[in-house]
């Protein structure tokens, strides 16, 4: 058996793949753990325990999927945040993309959020009565989670694979993995993740920053959250 020769250029993408695999697996298996959820329910009650458990998993995802891998990548590779797209530049182009996609996403979510299929799952927090602090906390946990999420996909994973694979192979690979992590949700979100993943990768590479993908994803998640909460017949803000 001939063992493939090692190339130092392989280290960065391999490290990114290893970290996203470990980080997402940790987040996923904690998020579906009945043992951990039962501990929260035992402490806070069934309904509030579910809520606090969900918020905890979002914070965990932010750290395990994005923040901790980013720190490890920069320490091992000797790179800076800007090398992985955490850069403030091309403001005009970035703002145009964010506002342009928001004009599509927000009306789309307004109408989709009324559907029974959507309301059966969203908002993820299933409490009937929401206080304003609860609304703010739920929104913030989404922002935290999506920061780590986009930091990995449109930051670490994308910028680590482009030098070795080239732009289009890296984009397709990124979108494929992005779709796979949506499989536990449903078929519609899995399919929708493919074109969205490709578009976000293209925007990230042309602007040199992951912030557009981050704010677009926030717009997608928060508009769906607010509209779903508004349209849900059994939920209200008190």
């Amino acid at each position: 058996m001939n063992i493939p020769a090692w190339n130092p250029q392989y280290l960065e993408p391999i490290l990114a793949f290893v970290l996203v695999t470990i980080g997402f697996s940790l987040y996923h298996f904690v998020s579906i753990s009945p043992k951990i959820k039962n501990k929260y329910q035992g402490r806070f009650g069934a309904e509030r325990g579910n809520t606090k458990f969900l918020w905890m998993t979002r914070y965990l995802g932010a750290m395990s999927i994005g923040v901790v891998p980013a720190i490890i990548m920069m320490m091992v590779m000797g790179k800076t945040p800007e090398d992985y797209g955490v850069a403030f530049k091309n403001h005009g182009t970035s703002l145009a993309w964010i506002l342009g996609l928001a004009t599509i996403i927000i009306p789309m979510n307004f109408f989709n959020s009324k559907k029974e299929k959507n309301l059966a799952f969203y908002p993820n927090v299933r409490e009937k009565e929401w206080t304003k602090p609860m609304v703010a906390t739920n929104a913030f946990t989404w922002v935290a989670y999506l920061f780590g999420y986009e930091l990995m996909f449109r930051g670490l994973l994308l910028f680590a694979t482009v030098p070795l694979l080239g732009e289009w192979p890296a984009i397709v690979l990124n979108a494929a993995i992005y779709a796979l992590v949506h499989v536990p949700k449903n078929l519609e979100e899995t399919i929708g993740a493919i074109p969205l993943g490709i578009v976000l990768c293209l925007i990230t590479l042309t602007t040199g920053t992951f912030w557009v993908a981050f704010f677009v994803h926030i717009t997608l998640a928060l508009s769906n959250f607010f509209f779903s909460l508004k349209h849900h017949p059994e939920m209200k803000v008190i």
Side-chain angles (χ1 to χ4, degrees):
M1 181 180 70
N2 294 323
I3 299 176
W6 174 256
N7 185 330
Q9 194 178 9
Y10 299 158
L11 177 60
E12 187 174 25
I14 287 175
L15 184 58
F17 284 123
V18 169
L19 291 173
V20 71
T21 301
I22 295 173
F24 186 81
S25 297
L26 174 62
Y27 158 74
H28 175 71
F29 286 112
V30 169
S31 69
I32 64 172
S33 170
K35 184 177 180 180
I36 299 175
K37 180 184 286 188
N38 288 338
K39 289 184 178 180
Y40 275 81
Q41 291 177 330
R43 182 177 179 183
F44 300 104
E47 193 173 70
R48 185 51 55 88
N50 281 334
T51 299
K52 288 186 174 292
F53 173 72
L54 176 61
W55 289 344
M56 178 277 293
T57 61
R58 287 178 183 168
Y59 288 131
L60 173 65
M63 298 300 295
S64 68
I65 298 173
V67 176
V68 172
I71 294 172
I72 294 173
M73 290 282 290
M74 288 186 288
M75 290 178 62
V76 172
M77 302 306 304
K79 293 194 171 183
T80 66
E82 187 171 0
D83 293 320
Y84 294 114
V86 188
F88 295 94
K89 56 185 178 181
N90 297 317
H91 305 299
T93 304
S94 298
L95 184 60
W97 273 115
I98 293 169
L99 295 178
L101 290 173
T103 61
I104 299 172
I105 291 170
I106 293 175
M108 178 186 70
N109 274 349
F110 178 79
F111 292 106
N112 287 341
S113 64
K114 299 179 180 180
K115 297 179 180 178
E116 289 186 11
K117 189 172 184 179
N118 179 81
L119 295 175
F121 189 72
Y122 293 107
N124 301 118
V125 172
R126 307 306 289 177
E127 296 200 31
K128 301 296 187 295
E129 294 186 345
W130 290 65
T131 63
K132 291 179 181 179
M134 281 179 60
V135 173
T137 300
N138 193 64
F140 182 78
T141 61
W142 264 125
V143 172
Y145 175 70
L146 292 175
F147 175 81
Y149 200 82
E150 287 299 333
L151 178 58
M152 169 53 75
F153 280 95
R154 256 59 67 171
L156 307 177
L157 199 57
L158 182 61
F159 285 95
T161 53
V162 165
L164 183 65
L165 301 180
E167 293 178 341
W168 275 110
I171 290 171
V172 172
L173 180 61
N174 194 288
I177 298 174
Y178 182 58
L180 287 174
V181 300
H182 283 79
V183 169
K185 292 187 174 182
N186 56 58
L187 180 61
E188 288 183 1
E189 290 198 29
T190 302
I191 295 173
I194 297 172
L196 178 62
I198 292 173
V199 169
L200 293 180
C201 284
L202 285 170
I203 294 172
T204 299
L205 291 179
T206 55
T207 60
T209 172
F210 95 115
W211 290 112
V212 176
F214 172 58
F215 282 111
V216 168
H217 213 155
I218 286 177
T219 302
L220 184 66
L222 292 189
S223 62
N224 183 56
F225 161 51
F226 290 131
F227 290 145
S228 297
L229 180 59
K230 174 181 175 62
H231 294 143
H232 202 292
E234 298 179 359
M235 297 182 183
K236 62 179 181 179
V237 179
I238 57 176

